[in-house]
Amino acid sequence: MIIELSDRQEYILNIVKENGPITGEHIADKLSLTRATLRPDLAILTMAGFLDARPRVGYFFTGKTGSQLLTEKVKKLTVQDYQSIPVVVNESHSVYDAVCTMFLEDVGTLFVVNNQAGLVGVLSRKDLLRASIGKQELEAMPVSIIMTRMPNIAVCKKDDLLIEVANKLIEKQIDALPVVKETENHQYEVIGRVTKTNMTKVLVDLSHDRMDG
Ligand code: ADP
């Protein structure tokens, strides 16, 4: 369970389970504590979703376990909560330029756009390495020759569920997805990126219970 409850919180939970609905006052009586002392514990239990409160009725047990609440939380996370800034290169840029951009911007995936800023391709580290072991002149080779191109690019939108993006990353065995927005001329504008690093951040935040909602 991610949310670690204190002994007193566990105790409160049991009181509510057995006696709910029960007012804060009555819980306090049973524990021989003041209502004020109890308030933070009740707030935590309610916010975490273990308890629910109804005015004039009191607290009652929601019946949800820690892992159910965790699942609910994860399923609420959307791309916009965790996305990073995208790094793009123009389709006319050379493979040499793309390698430099990848190092300078410190990213593992570049998105390739046309002159209208519409998404046309993706470049991964391996795409660039593959091109580099050939005999060709990297400065003369446009990225459009080696990139993975539309319509074979997996994309996501800012309101998509993060768990769906995580599934796509695993299914397609890729490191990143561009976050896109459809433009008036039916192209995709790249407004963000979601990578395996963002997913790792979700895990760390979960362990610290730092997610909102
Ligand atoms: P690496 O090549 O460093 O292992 P990836 O696993 O992300 O990085 O890339 C593997 C292949 O998938 C590359 O050829 C890349 O162009 C392609 N690729 C990367 N991201 C996407 C995406 N979002 N949609 C489709 N193909 C992608």
Side-chain angles (χ1 to χ4, degrees), residues 108-109 111 122-127 130 146-149 152-155 169 172-178 196:
T109 309
F111 302 114
V122 176
L123 288 169
S124 75
R125 279 178 281 227
K126 240 175 284 166
D127 294 331
R130 199 183 302 113
I146 65 155
M147 68 190 186
T148 299
R149 53 184 55 247
N152 301 321
I153 301 175
V155 301
L169 292 177
K172 302 196 180 290
Q173 298 187 22
I174 49 179
D175 293 347
L177 285 191
K196 287 179 176 175

Side-chain angles (χ1 to χ4, degrees), residues 35-150:
R35 176 82 182 81
T37 315
L38 222 55
R39 198 162 288 135
D41 287 325
L42 286 170
I44 287 168
L45 290 170
T46 309
M47 274 194 311
F50 292 107
L51 297 185
D52 215 338
R54 252 185 236 135
R56 276 188 294 273
V57 177
Y59 292 91
F60 58 93
F61 185 55
T62 58
K64 286 173 183 161
T65 62
S67 66
Q68 274 176 317
L69 293 166
L70 178 64
T71 308
E72 279 178 14
K73 241 180 203 185
V74 169
K75 286 187 175 163
K76 272 191 209 139
L77 295 177
T78 59
V79 162
Q80 63 202 324
D81 301 327
Y82 280 90
Q83 71 185 42
S84 307
I85 293 164
V87 179
V88 302
V89 293
N90 188 281
E91 61 185 335
S92 65
H93 282 194
S94 69
V95 172
Y96 180 89
D97 285 339
V99 171
C100 293
T101 304
M102 197 172 266
F103 274 103
L104 285 172
E105 301 287 346
D106 197 17
V107 291
T109 309
L110 298 174
F111 302 114
V112 185
V113 295
N114 59 24
N115 290 335
Q116 292 91 51
L119 176 67
V120 292
V122 176
L123 288 169
S124 75
R125 279 178 281 227
K126 240 175 284 166
D127 294 331
L128 295 175
L129 280 175
R130 199 183 302 113
S132 308
I133 55 176
K135 290 264 176 337
Q136 296 97 327
E137 189 64 58
L138 296 186
E139 282 172 76
M141 192 195 307
V143 288
S144 52
I145 292 179
I146 65 155
M147 68 190 186
T148 299
R149 53 184 55 247
M150 286 294 268

